[in-house]
Amino acid sequence: MEHIVIIGNGISGVTAARHIRKNSDKKITIVSAEHKYFFSRTALMYVYMGHMKFEHTQPYEDWFWKKNNIELKKGYVAKVDTENKNLQFSNGTSLTYSKLIIATGSKPNKFGWPGQDLEGVMGMYHKQDLEKLEKHAPNNKVCKRAVIVGGGLIGIELAEMLRSRDIPVTFLVRENSFWNGVLPAQESAMINNHIKEHHIDLRLNTNLKEIKADEFGKVRSVIIEETGEEIFCNVVGLTAGVTPNIDFLKDSNIETKRGVLVNRFLETNVKDVYAIGDCAEQHEAIGQRRNIEAVWYTGRMMGETLAQTICGNKTEYKPGHWFNSAKFLDIEYQTYGWVFSEKSKQENEAYFQWKHPKEHKCITISFDKKSNKFLGINTFGIRMRHEIFDQWLTENQSIEHVLEHLKDANFDPEFYKLHEAEIVKKFNKENNTNIQLKKKSLKRIFSKSY
Amino acid sequence: MKIIKNLGLIIFLTGLAIFIGTIFSGSFNLKQAELNSFLKEQNYKNALIKEALQEAVVTDEALNIFEFSSRVRKAYQKSNDYYDKQIAKYDAEKNWDAKGEQYQYKINGKPHTLSFNLAKKAGKGFVTKNPGLAWFLTFGLGIIGALLFILPNFILLGKPGIKNDHIYHESATNRGFIAWLVLIFLVAFYLVLYFFADYVVNWTFILDPISQFLADRPASQWFVYGFLYCTVMLTMGVRMFIKYRHNKYQIVRTISVLFFQIVFAFLIPEIMASLQMPEYDFKNAFPLDYDFFFEWNLKSLTESGGIGIFILVWGIVLTLVIVPVMVYFFGKRWYCSWVCGCGGLAETLGDPYRQHSNKSLNAWKLERWLIHSVLVFSLVMTLVTLYCYFTGTQSFLGINSQWIKDSYSFLIGAWFAGVIGTGFYPIFGNRVWCRFGCPLAAYLGLVQRFKSRFRITTNGGQCISCGNCSTYCEQGIDVRAYAQKGENIVRASCVGCGVCSAVCPRGVLKLENGPENGRINSTEILLGNDVDLMKLVNEK
């Protein structure tokens, strides 16, 4: 019987395993060094904050794997021998496979800062990072201050975590406004304010020079590049993005660049070896996407796609329209289609923006200057319906159509205040148009978009 | 702020300690004249009980309630024992006339209820003399303390938004020793209330003036319970308003349950009592209101003229028409988390414990067996009762009407709904009764599952399986299991509290009423959102 071995039990690997099991009775083994059972990495922050216990992050009960005949093996793969279809583990044991799926995800970036491997320096990615954080920052007596380096989504989540235990946080961000490589200025400025509202010491335009140790080899302070200022702290969080976690493939025949190179069928250069999730790198970008996408849901989609291929229904990875979501402290963020920040805005791209006068709510709709074609939307503090935007993007609808039917797209809980009328009014005023908001249509909302 | 909170806690605990302490206060004894008037009121037809009670409680001794209760129960026992012997004696002699005559001398009723009735007359002491001051030192301090503890959260919780920080770090909300203490207190409270009401007769003295004002009669233990219920819901409702102040659904829903509890469950029945009408909670639908079709209720309704007939018709229409029609349009949430008193307590007092509901598959299996068994039990009981009512017999198909009614009210009404249902909040979560035991929830659930417009929709591919929704589902639904598949949630047990939607950090869940078509959308595979692929997979 074919033996499918999956390295990595994150969302990509586990999704692949589940769907291979749905469609076949092949032997499946999932290998992981991090934790025996699948858990949702995105929820680790809630364990530290006390919203959940670790077991709540596990979507399947422990009996699930045995019942579905998916073998779980704890171990660290040291070498992949593709000639003999064999995996060698760091403890000396080995495992043969018929087909190999590499789904090892990513690891936090380190840019060679002096002191980056000291005790008390950590990323916020692995379960082990959480354990380290619990050790070095259990409260504000043990950890008098934490410094976070790198202004992405993990950085702000780590800041939120530490603030939940009243630990003073200094947040070093290289850019002149938070995440402004991705977000338009309006949104980025709003998040800057919100970070400060949470009493986080946000330092923009600031780079890390070095991390200094105390006499025990633990973090003592960080030095700032620009001013030479020394900030005393007990914990340093490095959250300047992630890179594929593929060091163990160095000596193998599998072709890699930053990640494991794969084609649109997620095949590597070696037969019967596939790569999915954060560690997979496309030869050529798909649409406007990046070659490597360290996004939770693309990992899931690659897992589903590859499972089809492995079970005999050869399927190309076609991720569809871009979407994403996040939460910045108390502000929810969703995006559908493409809204580029001012920095990387395209020639043809124009914004329509609206912001609530008092609350942390705003939207940016991106559209084509000439054709008025709808390109994408960012929403903050307003929930929007994924399926509707997916449909509108597929149908190449205009911004007028989007605004007219905005009520259909709202996904806020019942009784929430709606802002569509103000939004449309602002657009009409700015563009001398006369768009009339259509009533909400249950039929449009619940009819399937595919 | 922390100081105010701690001060609040101290004041609250002081109020609670005095409340418990009042049980042991005061003295209980009667003067001859008082006993005589009591006996006259009760219309007892035997001399023995008069003698026994006289010996037991007509004294200058300052008996505490426990000694008093024990003596009174012994007196009743003594009298009843005597007549039981007489009955047995005449039975053996086959002297049927004499035997029949003895029955009128036997005194019916539970010993602690008889003792409660007499204690109500016999109580003397600080509480009876100063009910207003006693109220302030118990209820008053409790409310002030609780509010001082709760109100600073407005600032301490920071900006509006979901703040579940440290729930799993704190003893009270993570099944620590404080949770166990709360459990012991609640369980003891229900046991005393249901089975040893005479021990807490002093509590009724505290509320006598309020009861006199509202219903023109002294307070019973059920008045104490109703008043306490409303007080607790209001105070903990304030907590809900602060915690969920960013979420209008939660605010509106909480106002609604508070309104229905205070006005419908508490005030209207009391006012009806003062007007000599049958007391009725107009929102309490059968079979949750399991004694609606009991003989005593039917008799009392049919004998109270127009209003009685109106209640009878309303009760039947509520159960057979309003409940299912509303569930068809809005799901069972219109009742379970907008109207119901049990749900109201669960959503206010029980909110800090909602994360403890068990989400395992085994719990789900147990839930479906248990709740539907209770529904069947209540229906069988009602059928037997109605059959016996209309035919005048004692039993139907070998089931004795009185026996099945007593079993139901003891097992389900007292133990399941009260002692376990509320007492175990801190350990099993706040909807133990609603999830495992409520026959009305089972009925509503059947309609919701198979014929309703309600569903919780999931937002395309946005779910990141973080598990907040499942953790905070008070009904033990593994919401995440559906959300990560992009499937609508149409589970029978969902009470539509909306907290899964509130705690979701990605805005994935929304409670909706929509067309029935497409409500159940089990998607085996969620292949991204590529249009062609979805088609391919669905056609396959």
Side-chain angles (χ1 to χ4, degrees):
Chain A
M1 197 181 0
E2 244 190 344
H3 183 197
I4 314 291
V5 174
I6 301 166
I7 311 178
N9 70 347
I11 180 63
S12 322
V14 163
T15 309
R18 275 186 50 238
H19 286 275
I20 293 170
R21 176 54 71 243
K22 265 185 193 169
N23 296 312
S24 75
D25 59 355
K26 295 177 201 293
K27 187 177 174 193
I28 303 173
T29 304
I30 301 180
V31 178
S32 167
E34 192 178 6
H35 185 67
K36 187 176 176 193
Y37 298 108
F38 169 53
F39 66 93
S40 179
R41 189 174 303 290
T42 46
L44 285 178
M45 65 181 291
Y46 301 112
V47 177
Y48 180 83
M49 292 168 76
H51 294 205
M52 292 186 193
K53 292 204 277 191
F54 182 75
E55 56 258 39
H56 295 128
T57 68
Q58 295 175 199
Y60 306 103
E61 288 182 67
D62 292 352
W63 50 257
F64 175 88
W65 309 100
K66 196 161 186 194
K67 183 174 173 259
N68 287 286
N69 196 17
I70 296 173
E71 201 164 314
L72 304 178
K73 185 177 162 60
K74 207 167 176 207
Y76 184 81
V77 178
K79 216 183 145 212
V80 179
D81 175 0
T82 51
E83 305 267 299
N84 300 308
K85 295 197 164 182
N86 188 290
L87 301 181
Q88 275 139 40
F89 291 91
S90 58
N91 65 0
T93 57
S94 66
L95 183 71
T96 52
Y97 63 83
S98 321
K99 283 186 172 137
L100 179 69
I101 301 175
I102 300 167
T104 48
S106 30
K107 56 178 187 186
N109 279 335
K110 290 182 177 180
F111 294 114
W113 291 294
Q116 66 181 11
D117 295 315
L118 288 171
E119 230 193 304
V121 181
M122 64 200 72
M124 188 54 231
Y125 194 82
H126 298 289
K127 181 165 188 280
Q128 285 75 15
D129 290 329
L130 186 72
E131 285 154 11
K132 273 194 213 166
L133 194 66
E134 199 64 71
K135 184 180 157 204
H136 293 291
N139 55 49
N140 58 10
K141 297 212 172 56
V142 176
C143 179
K144 301 252 190 288
R145 176 169 290 275
V147 173
I148 297 167
V149 182
L153 298 176
I154 299 180
I156 196 168
E157 282 174 0
L158 183 56
E160 182 179 3
M161 290 162 71
L162 291 160
R163 287 303 302 148
S164 79
R165 297 205 188 176
D166 294 325
I167 294 170
V169 175
T170 297
F171 192 12
L172 309 185
V173 173
R174 193 177 51 179
E175 291 78 24
N176 58 18
S177 180
F178 179 80
W179 225 36
N180 65 355
V182 178
L183 300 179
Q186 169 186 267
E187 278 96 328
S188 179
M190 185 175 85
I191 304 296
N192 287 343
N193 287 333
H194 192 55
I195 291 173
K196 288 175 193 155
E197 279 174 354
H198 277 259
H199 308 291
I200 294 164
D201 172 26
L202 176 66
R203 308 280 187 95
L204 299 168
N205 290 315
T206 308
N207 283 281
L208 172 69
K209 188 176 173 202
E210 67 166 306
I211 306 168
K212 287 195 149 178
D214 64 6
E215 65 268 38
F216 309 108
K218 281 186 68 179
V219 169
R220 188 181 76 134
S221 63
V222 300
I223 308 288
I224 285 170
E225 175 95 54
E226 284 74 13
T227 58
E229 184 191 351
E230 183 171 19
I231 301 172
F232 291 91
C233 60
N234 307 95
V235 161
V236 175
L238 299 180
T239 59
V242 291
T243 15
N245 179 23
I246 54 163
D247 292 345
F248 70 105
L249 294 175
K250 256 185 239 156
D251 304 326
S252 72
N253 299 327
I254 301 164
E255 199 187 340
T256 60
K257 215 161 135 191
R258 275 184 62 220
V260 182
L261 283 167
V262 293
N263 62 17
R264 291 292 290 271
F265 293 94
L266 305 165
E267 299 163 327
T268 65
N269 63 316
V270 179
K271 190 170 180 287
D272 292 336
V273 179
Y274 308 85
I276 53 176
D278 286 16
C279 68
E281 178 170 358
Q282 289 286 330
H283 289 280
E284 279 160 38
I286 301 171
Q288 305 193 68
R289 288 167 181 266
R290 295 163 191 235
N291 295 31
I292 300 176
E293 278 186 333
V295 182
W296 201 89
Y297 74 86
T298 52
R300 192 204 75 225
M301 280 153 54
M302 287 190 223
E304 289 175 351
T305 311
L306 182 59
Q308 293 290 321
T309 302
I310 282 182
C311 296
N313 173 28
K314 194 165 180 178
T315 305
E316 193 184 350
Y317 172 55
K318 285 165 87 179
H321 301 294
W322 169 253
F323 67 91
N324 205 4
S325 60
K327 195 170 180 185
F328 302 101
L329 301 157
D330 298 316
I331 306 176
E332 287 177 16
Y333 155 67
Q334 293 184 339
T335 184
Y336 301 104
W338 290 108
V339 181
F340 291 102
S341 70
E342 283 89 349
K343 279 187 177 175
S344 44
K345 216 163 142 185
Q346 326 262 310
E347 188 71 354
N348 63 328
E349 198 179 333
Y351 289 157
F352 163 67
Q353 294 187 304
W354 170 87
K355 190 172 182 318
H356 192 280
K358 284 191 215 113
E359 289 165 52
H360 288 321
K361 291 177 179 178
C362 66
I363 66 166
T364 295
I365 302 179
S366 156
F367 61 102
D368 190 289
K369 269 180 207 163
K370 287 200 190 108
S371 64
N372 274 3
K373 188 182 129 181
F374 168 68
L375 298 176
I377 183 166
N378 279 353
T379 66
F380 286 74
I382 300 174
R383 294 177 176 180
M384 290 287 177
R385 221 174 267 273
H386 187 178
E387 267 126 8
I388 296 256
F389 278 107
D390 211 57
Q391 187 184 349
W392 287 344
L393 287 163
T394 301
E395 293 167 356
N396 284 318
Q397 295 288 4
S398 65
I399 185 169
E400 287 87 355
H401 180 92
V402 169
L403 287 169
E404 259 176 23
H405 297 96
L406 209 51
K407 278 190 176 170
D408 291 353
N410 187 287
F411 199 71
D412 277 334
E414 285 162 324
F415 307 108
Y416 268 42
K417 210 170 172 188
L418 302 174
H419 303 288
E420 287 93 14
E422 300 148 50
I423 293 169
V424 170
K425 198 174 152 196
K426 183 162 190 261
F427 185 87
N428 281 336
K429 207 174 149 195
E430 284 174 9
N431 297 280
N432 272 324
T433 48
N434 188 24
I435 295 169
Q436 298 291 318
L437 196 59
K438 292 235 162 77
K439 267 191 199 156
K440 184 163 119 177
S441 155
L442 286 182
K443 211 175 144 194
R444 278 196 296 267
I445 294 170
F446 290 102
S447 67
K448 297 209 174 186
S449 58
Y450 38 80
Chain B
M1 284 298 150
K2 287 259 167 71
I3 298 169
I4 299 177
K5 261 184 103 94
N6 288 335
L7 184 69
L9 192 60
I10 291 167
I11 295 175
F12 172 79
L13 290 174
T14 309
L16 183 66
I18 298 173
F19 186 63
I20 296 169
T22 53
I23 297 173
F24 306 93
S25 76
S27 65
F28 293 82
N29 49 42
L30 289 171
K31 300 238 167 10
Q32 188 61 49
E34 289 172 323
L35 179 65
N36 289 345
S37 86
F38 174 78
L39 292 169
K40 207 172 165 194
E41 232 174 74
Q42 298 293 329
N43 199 20
Y44 291 151
K45 288 182 183 136
N46 84 64
L48 194 60
I49 187 67
K50 183 179 175 189
E51 197 183 300
L53 283 175
Q54 203 167 314
E55 201 180 310
V57 295
V58 177
T59 164
D60 287 336
E61 260 181 281
L63 303 174
N64 66 31
I65 184 63
F66 303 102
E67 178 62 23
F68 176 85
S69 165
S70 156
R71 287 188 183 193
V72 170
R73 281 179 287 130
K74 268 188 206 138
Y76 279 106
Q77 189 69 39
K78 194 172 158 194
S79 159
N80 278 354
D81 279 352
Y82 174 80
Y83 289 103
D84 278 338
K85 269 190 205 130
Q86 292 291 98
I87 289 166
K89 190 182 108 192
Y90 290 125
D91 192 54
E93 290 169 7
K94 300 193 173 15
N95 186 350
W96 308 127
D97 288 346
K99 181 190 170 192
E101 230 169 77
Q102 303 305 313
Y103 280 102
Q104 59 180 314
Y105 301 125
K106 274 203 70 182
I107 295 163
N108 294 317
K110 292 185 183 116
H112 283 281
T113 311
L114 299 171
S115 151
F116 176 88
N117 292 338
L118 195 55
K120 210 53 196 159
K121 308 272 178 202
K124 290 168 187 76
F126 177 78
V127 180
T128 45
K129 281 193 206 106
N130 308 288
L133 184 58
W135 189 91
F136 177 77
L137 291 174
T138 54
F139 283 89
L141 289 186
I143 294 168
I144 293 169
L147 287 179
L148 285 177
F149 186 74
I150 288 166
L151 289 172
N153 286 346
F154 194 83
I155 289 158
L156 289 176
L157 285 180
K159 296 245 127 196
I162 280 295
K163 296 288 147 68
N164 286 327
D165 294 357
H166 303 305
I167 282 179
Y168 278 102
H169 297 149
E170 279 174 22
S171 171
T173 48
N174 188 25
R175 298 177 172 157
F177 83 98
I178 295 180
W180 284 99
L181 285 181
V182 176
L183 177 140
I184 291 167
F185 173 76
L186 289 174
V187 167
F189 172 81
Y190 275 93
L191 289 177
V192 165
L193 188 77
Y194 283 132
F195 304 113
F196 308 100
D198 52 342
Y199 290 167
V200 291
V201 69
N202 273 319
W203 291 350
T204 66
F205 295 141
I206 301 175
L207 294 179
D208 272 342
I210 300 174
S211 180
Q212 287 291 359
F213 172 75
L214 281 174
D216 203 15
R217 63 182 175 186
S220 67
Q221 78 266 39
W222 304 118
F223 186 86
V224 172
Y225 185 47
F227 189 85
L228 193 63
Y229 204 105
C230 294
T231 310
V232 167
M233 265 184 69
L234 260 177
T235 321
M236 290 300 279
V238 173
R239 180 191 163 279
M240 283 294 279
F241 292 137
I242 294 174
K243 177 162 186 186
Y244 295 99
R245 62 188 188 276
H246 63 294
N247 189 317
K248 276 223 179 125
Y249 184 81
Q250 298 303 328
I251 302 262
V252 176
R253 186 174 69 92
T254 306
I255 292 172
S256 172
V257 284
L258 285 176
F259 169 80
F260 280 103
Q261 171 59 34
I262 293 167
V263 177
F264 277 66
F266 185 69
L267 289 179
I268 294 180
E270 292 300 327
I271 292 166
M272 287 175 79
S274 74
L275 300 171
Q276 313 294 327
M277 288 189 220
E279 294 158 59
Y280 183 67
D281 176 353
F282 284 91
K283 64 169 181 51
N284 199 11
F286 171 86
L288 177 60
D289 183 9
Y290 61 85
D291 51 16
F292 187 75
F293 292 108
F294 284 6
E295 299 92 326
W296 64 263
N297 190 45
L298 295 180
K299 213 172 271 168
S300 126
L301 291 181
T302 46
E303 281 167 7
S304 23
I307 184 76
I309 301 301
F310 173 76
I311 291 171
L312 198 57
V313 172
W314 166 258
I316 293 167
V317 170
L318 180 64
T319 300
L320 293 182
V321 182
I322 299 175
V323 161
V325 168
M326 291 286 278
V327 176
Y328 174 74
F329 284 105
F330 305 110
K332 75 197 240 190
R333 57 178 169 158
W334 80 269
Y335 195 84
C336 295
S337 56
W338 285 73
V339 170
C340 179
C342 307
L345 193 70
E347 297 291 349
T348 48
L349 177 65
D351 183 69
Y353 307 115
R354 56 185 318 122
Q355 64 280 4
H356 294 319
S357 57
N358 190 326
K359 276 84 184 181
S360 70
L361 189 66
N362 285 332
W364 187 15
K365 285 179 184 160
L366 175 71
E367 162 194 325
R368 284 175 292 170
W369 273 105
L370 258 182
I371 194 167
H372 295 117
S373 305
V374 174
L375 177 63
V376 169
F377 188 4
S378 71
L379 291 178
V380 167
M381 173 183 69
T382 305
L383 285 177
V384 171
T385 308
L386 283 177
Y387 177 85
C388 297
Y389 176 75
F390 285 113
T391 59
T393 53
Q394 294 287 315
S395 66
F396 175 61
L397 294 175
I399 308 172
N400 180 292
S401 163
Q402 198 54 44
W403 174 83
I404 192 172
K405 280 188 292 189
D406 288 347
S407 315
Y408 189 94
S409 49
F410 181 75
L411 291 175
I412 311 297
W415 275 96
F416 207 157
V419 180
I420 300 172
T422 308
F424 280 64
Y425 273 6
I427 302 300
F428 289 156
N430 56 337
R431 286 260 192 185
V432 174
W433 161 247
C434 313
R435 182 183 178 194
F436 294 100
C438 177
L440 182 61
Y443 167 38
L444 295 157
L446 288 171
V447 182
Q448 168 160 291
R449 175 64 186 80
F450 296 107
K451 195 75 190 160
S452 174
R453 293 166 160 268
F454 172 71
R455 82 289 313 264
I456 304 177
T457 47
T458 59
N459 201 6
Q462 292 280 22
C463 173
I464 53 166
S465 298
C466 72
N468 270 295
C469 51
S470 292
T471 306
Y472 287 92
C473 176
E474 57 190 350
Q475 286 288 80
I477 301 171
D478 190 359
V479 185
R480 164 176 55 192
Y482 299 85
Q484 64 189 3
K485 286 184 270 187
E487 236 177 83
N488 290 344
I489 298 147
V490 294
R491 278 270 289 272
S493 57
C494 176
V495 291
C497 70
V499 168
C500 57
S501 162
V503 297
C504 178
R506 292 293 184 276
V508 173
L509 299 159
K510 177 166 160 60
L511 280 56
E512 300 194 70
N513 312 310
E516 271 187 88
N517 200 4
R519 174 175 177 252
I520 296 170
N521 67 335
S522 65
T523 43
E524 271 295 288
I525 301 173
L526 183 75
L527 262 173
N529 288 275
D530 186 293
V531 182
D532 301 338
L533 264 181
M534 280 317 282
K535 223 181 234 166
L536 186 97
V537 169
N538 286 338
E539 279 166 8
K540 213 184 110 188

